[in-house]
Amino acid sequence: MKQWIALATLAAVSVGAYAQTFPGNKPVAIVVPFSAGGPTDRVARDLAEAMRKQIPGSNFVVENTVGAGGTIGANRVAKAAPNGHTLLLFHIGMASTPALYRKLAYKPMEDFEYLGMVNDVPMTLIGKPQLPANTYRDFENYIRANAGKLNIAHAGLGSASHLCGLLWQTNVQTKEAMTTIPFGGTGPAMTALIGGQVDMMCDQTTNTVGQIEGGRVKAFAVTTAKPLSNHPVLKHYPSLQEMGMKNFNLTIWHGLYAPKGTPAAITKTLNDALKKALKDPEFIKKNEGLGALVVTDNRTDPAEHKKFVAAEMVKIKAAVDAAGKYAD
Ligand code: MLT
């Protein structure tokens, strides 16, 4: 019996000692469940840089695991070793995919340690440069008149771009359905849009601001309740509420997660580093430049983060069940 107690004590001491030195110089992978070059990837790379600053000698890196609206990457982290070296950066998909994928390989509320939320990102309705429309009204009328001949890109069923596109089309009540074109992320979708291979997309400002400013895509509206009048580029576009869609108000939030069972000392180290990263002037400036806002309220606390996602899951599930459209 004494041997067991000695072994258990040794194990506890070694986990404790390990947690004190975490992360050391071993890489901490922030898994992005979408392709490189898209909005989630952008947030993750900026966050990795800000987190590195908070823990001298640490090495936060981004790894992309693509597919199925972000659920392949989320499942990779759910099943990863709970040692703090594999994290997930996921957005509203953490709450929407359980409603859309009825056979999800993981349980969002049980298979993760919630590490705190990162930022809120508006979305923009954008079109290919050749689209014969320059105002939102022209755009909506053109899409309504030609829906059956046009297509809309997104990052997979359950992705933010997919949800936004669905919501918008439901409000516009196009007589025929548009063809939806899925990509591994809105990074590659943006390349197709700029090249005119797809007609339109609803995507996060972290991916669209630069392309709008560069004139490589046409922008028509933002998805927030009010226009983004403080942003030098986005202030030129109306909100969909201003265009008559009364309750349209969509902002994409991002959160950080570790596998369930990650030691509390490690999740505390990660949450402390996250909270400091969110106060890093450079990280704040990068987000604001892209139309995003870092979280400053209590959603940076793990318990509040989990409560927020649980509430979002209930809201989204009601809407998905009402529509009766699922991904599997
Ligand atoms: C989404 O549309 O859900 C994601 O923002 C896509 C991405 O990050 O590539």
Side-chain angles (χ1 to χ4, degrees):
M1 183 57 178
K2 280 205 180 93
Q3 262 183 338
W4 280 112
I5 293 170
L7 270 175
T9 313
L10 188 66
V13 167
S14 59
V15 168
Y18 173 73
Q20 296 320 318
T21 61
F22 172 83
N25 57 10
K26 191 169 166 238
V28 175
I30 299 180
V31 173
V32 167
F34 297 103
S35 316
T40 311
D41 187 67
R42 171 75 280 136
V43 174
R45 290 179 196 279
D46 291 344
L47 181 66
E49 190 183 336
M51 298 272 287
R52 272 195 291 271
K53 285 190 210 169
Q54 312 315 322
I55 309 180
S58 63
N59 180 17
F60 286 82
V61 295
V62 172
E63 292 181 6
N64 303 83
T65 302
V66 176
T71 56
I72 307 281
N75 190 45
R76 170 188 162 190
V77 177
K79 305 295 192 288
N83 58 20
H85 288 279
T86 308
L87 308 180
L88 171 69
L89 181 79
F90 205 0
H91 56 30
I92 195 168
M94 191 66 157
S96 64
T97 46
L100 285 160
Y101 292 83
R102 290 168 292 188
K103 297 189 214 61
L104 208 52
Y106 58 89
K107 297 183 179 60
M109 287 287 128
E110 295 162 32
D111 294 344
F112 296 93
E113 302 295 349
Y114 284 59
L115 299 177
M117 292 184 68
V118 180
N119 64 1
D120 292 305
V121 188
M123 299 191 88
T124 42
L125 277 180
I126 55 177
K128 66 185 180 184
Q130 304 87 341
L131 217 59
N134 290 312
T135 65
Y136 175 76
R137 279 280 164 255
D138 294 349
F139 170 70
E140 185 181 281
N141 293 336
Y142 177 74
I143 299 288
R144 194 179 270 127
N146 300 282
K149 292 179 271 184
L150 299 171
N151 56 50
I152 178 169
H154 60 68
L157 296 181
S159 64
S161 43
H162 171 238
L163 282 174
C164 180
L166 268 187
L167 218 51
W168 179 75
Q169 287 176 80
T170 311
N171 276 276
V172 172
Q173 288 163 3
T174 52
K175 285 193 184 46
E176 298 161 287
M178 297 178 76
T179 304
T180 59
I181 315 274
F183 290 79
T186 48
M190 178 64 82
T191 305
L193 188 73
I194 291 169
Q197 280 94 44
V198 289
D199 296 310
M200 71 161 285
M201 175 161 73
C202 183
D203 194 15
Q204 296 176 66
T205 58
T206 37
N207 197 33
T208 62
V209 164
Q211 305 299 356
I212 296 167
E213 193 169 26
R216 288 178 288 277
V217 295
K218 288 188 172 179
F220 300 104
V222 295
T223 61
T224 40
K226 293 192 173 62
L228 299 165
S229 37
N230 294 333
H231 193 277
V233 174
L234 299 168
K235 68 183 179 185
H236 299 296
Y237 306 100
S239 72
L240 288 171
Q241 284 203 18
E242 284 181 313
M243 291 293 104
M245 291 189 183
K246 279 197 228 39
N247 305 319
F248 209 106
N249 180 13
L250 183 61
T251 297
I252 303 304
W253 41 266
H254 293 80
L256 198 61
Y257 307 86
K260 186 74 181 172
T262 303
I266 290 179
T267 56
K268 183 175 183 322
T269 301
L270 290 165
N271 176 255
D272 289 347
L274 172 64
K275 282 179 172 169
K276 289 181 196 140
L278 298 185
K279 293 189 170 69
D280 174 39
E282 208 179 312
F283 184 64
I284 293 169
K285 192 158 163 268
K286 278 180 185 167
N287 272 271
E288 289 177 350
L290 295 171
L293 284 176
V294 300
V295 169
T296 53
D297 58 28
N298 62 2
R299 289 175 295 154
T300 56
D301 292 326
E304 292 301 323
H305 173 191
K306 190 166 187 175
K307 231 191 280 177
F308 176 82
V309 174
E312 289 282 288
M313 280 171 76
V314 170
K315 252 175 22 185
I316 295 173
K317 181 163 176 23
V320 169
D321 288 350
K325 288 201 180 89
Y326 301 95
D328 59 5

